[in-house]
Amino acid sequence: LTHEWWMKQRSNFQVFVSLSVVQEISAGNSEAAEARVELIAGIPRLQVSLEARTLANRLIAVHALPTKAKEDALHIAIAAFHEMNYLLTWNCRHIANEQMQEAIRATCLLGGYEAPVVCTPAELMGE
């Protein structure tokens, strides 16, 4: 589904990737990492700002996400800080978890940010 979204739907959106994601996909098997990094070549990068880090820490502090999900909180915070409409992910444990969305949205709003709509590629394709 990710490949299908990439091929059929990507052109309908302005796509961005955070430097946090770049670091994440650069890890692991070197050949696979190189292929992942090559796939996102040319996509504008969202910087990891101090404000995003502060929001990520707040998401953890208020238990909107568990302590072990610091990197996931940072993904959400970067998207909120940069006013992204959507955060596309397959991480349904902490990011695309509907049970956590209310606390995430409330925490972002208290920090002065609107949380992005968090969804999987399947949801964004309407499937």
Side-chain angles (χ1 to χ4, degrees):
L1 281 174
T2 300
H3 293 285
E4 185 177 341
W5 184 87
W6 197 263
M7 298 303 293
K8 294 180 179 179
Q9 297 292 320
R10 179 179 171 214
S11 62
N12 297 325
F13 298 89
Q14 278 188 290
V15 179
F16 298 87
V17 64
S18 74
L19 291 177
S20 178
V21 169
V22 174
Q23 290 174 345
E24 194 173 292
I25 68 171
S26 297
N29 175 284
S30 61
E31 288 180 25
E34 186 177 324
R36 290 188 297 265
V37 170
E38 190 175 302
L39 187 64
I40 63 166
I43 295 176
R45 306 297 200 254
L46 301 176
Q47 300 297 316
V48 183
S49 65
L50 177 59
E51 294 88 344
R53 288 191 188 282
T54 300
L55 179 57
N57 290 336
R58 184 79 181 134
L59 286 164
I60 298 296
V62 301
H63 306 292
L65 284 96
T67 304
K68 65 182 178 183
K70 289 180 181 178
E71 205 53 41
D72 298 337
L74 186 58
H75 291 309
I76 294 165
I78 292 167
F81 173 77
H82 287 284
E83 300 178 347
M84 297 291 101
N85 295 322
Y86 297 97
L87 175 56
L88 195 58
T89 184
W90 279 115
N91 180 335
C92 297
R93 177 167 286 166
H94 300 127
I95 299 178
N97 181 327
E98 190 56 40
Q99 293 178 335
M100 296 180 173
Q101 291 308 302
E102 185 175 331
I104 290 169
R105 284 189 292 270
T107 304
C108 287
L109 283 174
L110 284 173
Y113 305 99
E114 188 171 332
V117 172
V118 178
C119 57
T120 65
E123 292 169 320
L124 201 53
M125 287 175 56
E127 296 180 11

Coordinates of all heavy atoms in Angstrom, one line a residue, residues 41-105:
A41 N 15.2 11.4 -2.1 CA 16.0 12.4 -2.7 C 15.2 13.5 -3.4 O 14.2 13.2 -4.0 CB 17.0 11.8 -3.7
G42 N 15.5 14.7 -3.1 CA 14.7 15.8 -3.7 C 13.5 16.3 -2.9 O 12.9 17.3 -3.2
I43 N 13.1 15.5 -1.9 CA 12.0 15.9 -1.1 C 12.5 17.0 0.0 O 13.5 16.7 0.6 CB 11.3 14.7 -0.4 CG1 10.7 13.8 -1.4 CG2 10.3 15.2 0.6 CD1 10.1 12.5 -0.9
P44 N 11.8 18.1 0.1 CA 12.2 19.1 1.0 C 12.2 18.6 2.5 O 11.4 17.8 2.9 CB 11.1 20.2 0.9 CG 10.5 20.0 -0.4 CD 10.6 18.5 -0.7
R45 N 13.3 19.0 3.2 CA 13.5 18.5 4.6 C 12.9 19.5 5.6 O 13.1 20.8 5.4 CB 15.0 18.4 4.8 CG 15.7 17.5 3.9 CD 15.2 16.1 3.9 NE 16.2 15.1 3.4 CZ 16.1 14.6 2.2 NH1 15.1 14.8 1.4 NH2 17.0 13.7 1.8
L46 N 12.3 19.0 6.6 CA 11.8 19.8 7.7 C 12.9 19.8 8.8 O 13.3 18.7 9.2 CB 10.5 19.3 8.3 CG 9.3 19.2 7.3 CD1 8.1 18.6 8.0 CD2 9.0 20.6 6.8
Q47 N 13.3 20.9 9.2 CA 14.4 21.0 10.3 C 13.8 20.6 11.6 O 12.6 20.8 11.9 CB 14.9 22.5 10.4 CG 15.5 22.9 9.1 CD 16.8 22.1 8.7 OE1 17.6 21.8 9.5 NE2 16.8 21.7 7.4
V48 N 14.6 20.1 12.5 CA 14.3 19.8 13.9 C 14.6 21.0 14.7 O 15.7 21.2 15.1 CB 15.0 18.6 14.4 CG1 14.6 18.2 15.8 CG2 14.8 17.4 13.4
S49 N 13.6 21.8 15.0 CA 13.8 23.1 15.7 C 13.7 22.9 17.2 O 13.3 21.8 17.7 CB 12.7 24.1 15.3 OG 11.4 23.6 15.8
L50 N 14.2 23.8 17.9 CA 14.1 23.8 19.4 C 12.7 23.7 19.8 O 12.3 23.0 20.8 CB 14.8 25.0 20.0 CG 14.8 25.2 21.5 CD1 15.4 24.0 22.2 CD2 15.4 26.5 22.0
E51 N 11.8 24.5 19.1 CA 10.4 24.5 19.5 C 9.8 23.1 19.3 O 9.0 22.6 20.1 CB 9.6 25.5 18.6 CG 10.0 26.9 18.9 CD 11.2 27.4 18.0 OE1 11.9 26.6 17.5 OE2 11.3 28.7 18.0
A52 N 10.2 22.4 18.3 CA 9.7 21.0 18.0 C 10.2 20.1 19.1 O 9.4 19.3 19.6 CB 10.1 20.5 16.7
R53 N 11.4 20.2 19.5 CA 12.0 19.4 20.6 C 11.2 19.7 21.9 O 10.9 18.8 22.7 CB 13.5 19.6 20.7 CG 14.3 19.0 19.6 CD 15.8 19.0 20.0 NE 16.6 18.6 18.8 CZ 16.7 17.4 18.4 NH1 16.1 16.4 19.1 NH2 17.4 17.1 17.4
T54 N 10.9 20.9 22.1 CA 10.2 21.3 23.4 C 8.8 20.7 23.4 O 8.4 20.1 24.4 CB 10.1 22.8 23.5 OG1 11.4 23.4 23.6 CG2 9.3 23.3 24.7
L55 N 8.1 20.8 22.2 CA 6.8 20.1 22.1 C 6.9 18.6 22.3 O 6.0 18.0 22.9 CB 6.1 20.5 20.8 CG 4.8 19.9 20.5 CD1 3.8 20.3 21.6 CD2 4.3 20.4 19.1
A56 N 7.9 18.0 21.7 CA 8.1 16.6 21.8 C 8.2 16.2 23.3 O 7.6 15.2 23.8 CB 9.2 16.1 21.0
N57 N 9.1 17.0 24.0 CA 9.3 16.7 25.4 C 8.0 16.9 26.2 O 7.7 16.1 27.1 CB 10.4 17.6 26.0 CG 11.7 17.3 25.5 OD1 12.0 16.1 25.1 ND2 12.6 18.2 25.4
R58 N 7.2 17.8 25.8 CA 5.9 18.1 26.5 C 4.9 16.9 26.2 O 4.2 16.5 27.1 CB 5.3 19.4 26.0 CG 4.0 19.8 26.7 CD 4.3 20.4 28.1 NE 3.1 20.7 28.7 CZ 2.8 20.4 30.0 NH1 3.7 19.8 30.7 NH2 1.7 20.7 30.5
L59 N 4.9 16.4 25.0 CA 4.1 15.2 24.7 C 4.4 14.0 25.6 O 3.5 13.3 26.0 CB 4.2 14.8 23.2 CG 3.6 15.8 22.2 CD1 4.1 15.5 20.8 CD2 2.0 15.6 22.2
I60 N 5.7 13.9 25.9 CA 6.1 12.8 26.8 C 5.8 13.1 28.2 O 5.2 12.3 29.0 CB 7.6 12.5 26.6 CG1 8.0 12.1 25.2 CG2 8.1 11.5 27.7 CD1 7.4 10.7 24.8
A61 N 6.0 14.4 28.6 CA 5.8 14.8 30.0 C 4.4 14.7 30.5 O 4.1 14.3 31.6 CB 6.3 16.2 30.2
V62 N 3.4 14.9 29.6 CA 2.0 14.9 29.9 C 1.4 13.5 29.6 O 0.2 13.3 29.8 CB 1.2 16.0 29.3 CG1 1.7 17.4 29.6 CG2 1.1 15.8 27.8
H63 N 2.3 12.6 29.2 CA 1.9 11.2 28.9 C 0.9 11.0 27.7 O 0.1 10.1 27.7 CB 1.3 10.5 30.2 CG 2.2 10.6 31.4 ND1 3.4 9.9 31.4 CD2 2.1 11.3 32.5 CE1 4.0 10.2 32.6 NE2 3.2 11.1 33.2
A64 N 1.0 12.0 26.8 CA 0.3 11.8 25.6 C 0.9 10.7 24.8 O 0.2 10.0 24.0 CB 0.3 13.1 24.7
L65 N 2.2 10.4 25.0 CA 2.9 9.3 24.4 C 3.8 8.7 25.6 O 4.2 9.5 26.5 CB 3.8 9.7 23.3 CG 3.1 9.9 21.9 CD1 2.8 11.4 21.7 CD2 3.9 9.4 20.8
P66 N 4.1 7.4 25.6 CA 4.9 6.9 26.6 C 6.4 7.3 26.5 O 6.8 7.7 25.4 CB 4.8 5.4 26.4 CG 4.4 5.2 25.0 CD 3.6 6.4 24.6
T67 N 7.1 7.3 27.6 CA 8.5 7.7 27.7 C 9.3 7.0 26.6 O 10.2 7.7 26.0 CB 9.1 7.4 29.0 OG1 8.2 8.1 30.0 CG2 10.5 7.9 29.2
K68 N 9.0 5.8 26.3 CA 9.9 5.0 25.3 C 9.6 5.5 23.9 O 10.3 5.1 22.9 CB 9.6 3.5 25.4 CG 8.2 3.1 25.0 CD 8.0 1.6 25.2 CE 6.6 1.2 24.9 NZ 6.4 -0.2 25.1
A69 N 8.6 6.4 23.7 CA 8.2 6.9 22.3 C 8.8 8.3 22.0 O 8.1 9.0 21.3 CB 6.7 6.8 22.2
K70 N 9.9 8.6 22.5 CA 10.5 9.9 22.4 C 10.7 10.3 20.9 O 10.4 11.4 20.5 CB 11.8 10.1 23.1 CG 11.7 10.1 24.6 CD 13.0 10.2 25.3 CE 12.8 10.2 26.8 NZ 14.1 10.2 27.5
E71 N 11.2 9.4 20.1 CA 11.4 9.6 18.7 C 10.0 9.8 18.0 O 9.9 10.7 17.1 CB 12.2 8.5 18.0 CG 12.9 8.8 16.8 CD 13.9 10.0 16.9 OE1 14.6 10.2 17.9 OE2 13.9 10.8 15.9
D72 N 9.0 9.1 18.4 CA 7.7 9.2 17.8 C 7.1 10.6 18.2 O 6.5 11.2 17.3 CB 6.7 8.1 18.3 CG 7.2 6.7 17.9 OD1 8.0 6.6 16.9 OD2 6.8 5.7 18.6
A73 N 7.3 11.0 19.4 CA 6.8 12.3 19.8 C 7.5 13.4 19.0 O 6.9 14.4 18.6 CB 7.1 12.5 21.3
L74 N 8.8 13.2 18.7 CA 9.5 14.2 17.9 C 8.9 14.3 16.4 O 8.8 15.3 15.9 CB 11.0 13.9 17.8 CG 11.9 14.9 17.1 CD1 11.8 16.3 17.7 CD2 13.3 14.4 17.1
H75 N 8.6 13.1 15.9 CA 7.9 13.1 14.5 C 6.7 14.0 14.5 O 6.4 14.8 13.7 CB 7.6 11.7 14.1 CG 8.8 10.9 13.8 ND1 9.8 11.2 12.9 CD2 9.1 9.6 14.2 CE1 10.7 10.3 12.8 NE2 10.3 9.3 13.6
I76 N 5.8 13.8 15.5 CA 4.6 14.5 15.7 C 4.9 16.0 15.9 O 4.2 16.8 15.2 CB 3.7 14.0 16.8 CG1 3.3 12.5 16.5 CG2 2.5 14.9 17.1 CD1 2.7 11.8 17.7
A77 N 5.8 16.3 16.7 CA 6.1 17.7 17.1 C 6.7 18.4 15.8 O 6.3 19.6 15.6 CB 7.1 17.7 18.2
I78 N 7.5 17.8 15.1 CA 8.1 18.4 13.9 C 6.9 18.7 12.9 O 6.9 19.8 12.3 CB 9.1 17.5 13.2 CG1 10.4 17.4 14.1 CG2 9.5 18.0 11.8 CD1 11.3 16.3 13.7
A79 N 6.0 17.8 12.7 CA 4.9 18.0 11.8 C 4.0 19.1 12.3 O 3.6 20.0 11.5 CB 4.1 16.7 11.6
A80 N 3.8 19.2 13.6 CA 2.9 20.2 14.1 C 3.6 21.6 14.0 O 3.0 22.6 13.6 CB 2.6 19.9 15.6
F81 N 4.9 21.7 14.4 CA 5.6 22.9 14.3 C 5.7 23.5 12.9 O 5.5 24.7 12.7 CB 7.0 22.7 14.8 CG 7.9 24.0 14.6 CD1 7.8 25.1 15.5 CD2 8.8 24.0 13.6 CE1 8.6 26.2 15.3 CE2 9.6 25.2 13.4 CZ 9.5 26.2 14.2
H82 N 5.8 22.6 11.9 CA 5.9 23.0 10.5 C 4.5 23.1 9.8 O 4.5 23.3 8.6 CB 6.9 22.1 9.7 CG 8.3 22.3 10.1 ND1 9.0 23.4 9.6 CD2 9.1 21.6 10.9 CE1 10.3 23.3 10.1 NE2 10.4 22.2 10.8
E83 N 3.5 23.0 10.6 CA 2.1 23.2 10.1 C 1.8 22.2 9.0 O 1.1 22.6 8.0 CB 1.8 24.6 9.7 CG 2.0 25.6 10.9 CD 1.8 27.0 10.5 OE1 1.8 27.4 9.3 OE2 1.7 27.8 11.4
M84 N 2.2 21.0 9.1 CA 1.9 19.9 8.2 C 0.4 19.5 8.3 O -0.1 19.5 9.5 CB 2.7 18.7 8.3 CG 4.2 18.9 8.1 SD 4.6 19.3 6.4 CE 4.8 21.1 6.4
N85 N -0.3 19.3 7.3 CA -1.7 18.9 7.3 C -1.8 17.5 7.7 O -2.8 17.1 8.4 CB -2.4 19.1 6.0 CG -2.5 20.6 5.6 OD1 -2.7 21.4 6.5 ND2 -2.3 20.9 4.4
Y86 N -0.9 16.6 7.2 CA -1.0 15.2 7.5 C 0.4 14.7 8.0 O 1.4 15.2 7.6 CB -1.3 14.4 6.2 CG -2.7 14.7 5.7 CD1 -2.8 15.7 4.6 CD2 -3.8 14.1 6.1 CE1 -4.1 15.9 4.1 CE2 -5.0 14.4 5.6 CZ -5.2 15.3 4.6 OH -6.4 15.6 4.1
L87 N 0.4 13.7 8.7 CA 1.6 12.9 9.1 C 1.3 11.5 8.7 O 0.4 10.8 9.3 CB 1.9 13.0 10.6 CG 3.0 12.2 11.1 CD1 4.3 12.4 10.4 CD2 3.2 12.4 12.6
L88 N 1.9 11.0 7.7 CA 1.7 9.7 7.1 C 2.6 8.7 7.7 O 3.8 8.9 7.7 CB 1.9 9.8 5.6 CG 1.4 8.6 4.7 CD1 -0.1 8.5 4.9 CD2 1.7 8.9 3.3
T89 N 2.1 7.6 8.3 CA 2.9 6.6 9.0 C 2.3 5.3 9.1 O 1.0 5.2 9.0 CB 3.2 7.1 10.5 OG1 4.1 6.2 11.1 CG2 1.9 7.2 11.3
W90 N 3.1 4.3 9.3 CA 2.6 2.9 9.6 C 2.8 2.6 11.1 O 2.5 1.5 11.5 CB 3.3 1.9 8.7 CG 2.7 1.8 7.3 CD1 3.3 2.1 6.2 CD2 1.4 1.3 7.0 NE1 2.5 1.9 5.1 CE2 1.3 1.4 5.6 CE3 0.3 0.9 7.7 CZ2 0.2 1.0 4.9 CZ3 -0.9 0.6 7.0 CH2 -0.9 0.6 5.6
N91 N 3.3 3.6 11.8 CA 3.5 3.4 13.3 C 2.2 3.5 14.0 O 1.8 4.6 14.4 CB 4.5 4.4 13.8 CG 4.8 4.2 15.3 OD1 4.0 3.7 16.0 ND2 6.0 4.6 15.7
C92 N 1.5 2.4 14.1 CA 0.1 2.5 14.8 C 0.2 2.2 16.3 O -0.8 2.3 17.0 CB -0.8 1.4 14.1 SG -1.1 1.8 12.4
R93 N 1.4 2.0 16.8 CA 1.6 1.8 18.2 C 1.5 3.1 18.9 O 0.8 3.3 19.9 CB 2.9 1.1 18.5 CG 3.1 1.0 20.0 CD 4.2 0.1 20.4 NE 3.8 -1.3 20.1 CZ 4.5 -2.3 20.0 NH1 5.8 -2.2 20.2 NH2 4.0 -3.5 19.8
H94 N 2.2 4.2 18.4 CA 2.2 5.4 19.1 C 1.8 6.6 18.3 O 1.4 7.6 18.9 CB 3.7 5.7 19.7 CG 4.1 4.7 20.6 ND1 5.3 4.0 20.4 CD2 3.6 4.1 21.7 CE1 5.5 3.1 21.4 NE2 4.4 3.2 22.2
I95 N 2.0 6.6 17.0 CA 1.7 7.8 16.2 C 0.3 7.7 15.6 O -0.5 8.6 15.9 CB 2.8 8.0 15.1 CG1 4.2 8.1 15.7 CG2 2.4 9.2 14.2 CD1 5.3 8.3 14.7
A96 N 0.0 6.7 14.9 CA -1.4 6.6 14.3 C -2.2 5.7 15.2 O -2.9 4.8 14.8 CB -1.3 6.0 12.9
N97 N -2.3 6.1 16.5 CA -3.0 5.3 17.5 C -4.2 6.2 17.9 O -4.0 7.2 18.6 CB -2.1 5.0 18.6 CG -2.8 4.2 19.7 OD1 -4.0 4.4 19.9 ND2 -2.1 3.3 20.4
E98 N -5.4 5.9 17.5 CA -6.5 6.8 17.8 C -6.7 7.0 19.2 O -7.2 8.1 19.6 CB -7.8 6.1 17.1 CG -9.0 7.1 17.1 CD -8.7 8.4 16.5 OE1 -8.1 8.5 15.4 OE2 -9.2 9.4 17.0
Q99 N -6.3 6.1 20.1 CA -6.5 6.2 21.5 C -5.6 7.3 22.1 O -5.9 7.9 23.1 CB -6.3 4.9 22.3 CG -7.3 3.9 22.0 CD -7.0 2.6 22.7 OE1 -5.8 2.3 23.0 NE2 -8.0 1.8 22.9
M100 N -4.6 7.7 21.4 CA -3.6 8.7 21.8 C -3.9 10.0 21.2 O -3.4 11.1 21.6 CB -2.2 8.3 21.6 CG -1.8 7.0 22.3 SD -0.1 6.6 21.9 CE 0.2 5.3 23.1
Q101 N -4.7 10.1 20.2 CA -4.9 11.3 19.4 C -5.4 12.5 20.1 O -5.0 13.6 20.0 CB -5.7 11.0 18.1 CG -4.9 10.2 17.1 CD -3.6 10.7 16.8 OE1 -3.4 11.8 16.3 NE2 -2.5 9.9 17.0
E102 N -6.4 12.2 21.0 CA -7.0 13.3 21.7 C -6.0 14.0 22.6 O -5.9 15.3 22.6 CB -8.2 12.9 22.6 CG -8.9 14.0 23.3 CD -10.1 13.5 24.1 OE1 -10.7 12.5 23.7 OE2 -10.5 14.2 25.0
A103 N -5.2 13.3 23.3 CA -4.1 13.8 24.2 C -3.0 14.5 23.3 O -2.5 15.6 23.7 CB -3.5 12.8 25.1
I104 N -2.7 14.0 22.2 CA -1.7 14.6 21.3 C -2.3 15.9 20.8 O -1.6 16.9 20.9 CB -1.4 13.6 20.1 CG1 -0.6 12.4 20.7 CG2 -0.6 14.4 19.0 CD1 -0.4 11.3 19.7
R105 N -3.5 15.9 20.3 CA -4.1 17.2 19.8 C -4.2 18.2 20.9 O -3.8 19.4 20.7 CB -5.5 16.9 19.2 CG -5.5 16.2 17.9 CD -6.8 16.2 17.2 NE -7.8 15.3 17.9 CZ -7.9 14.0 17.6 NH1 -7.2 13.5 16.6 NH2 -8.8 13.3 18.3

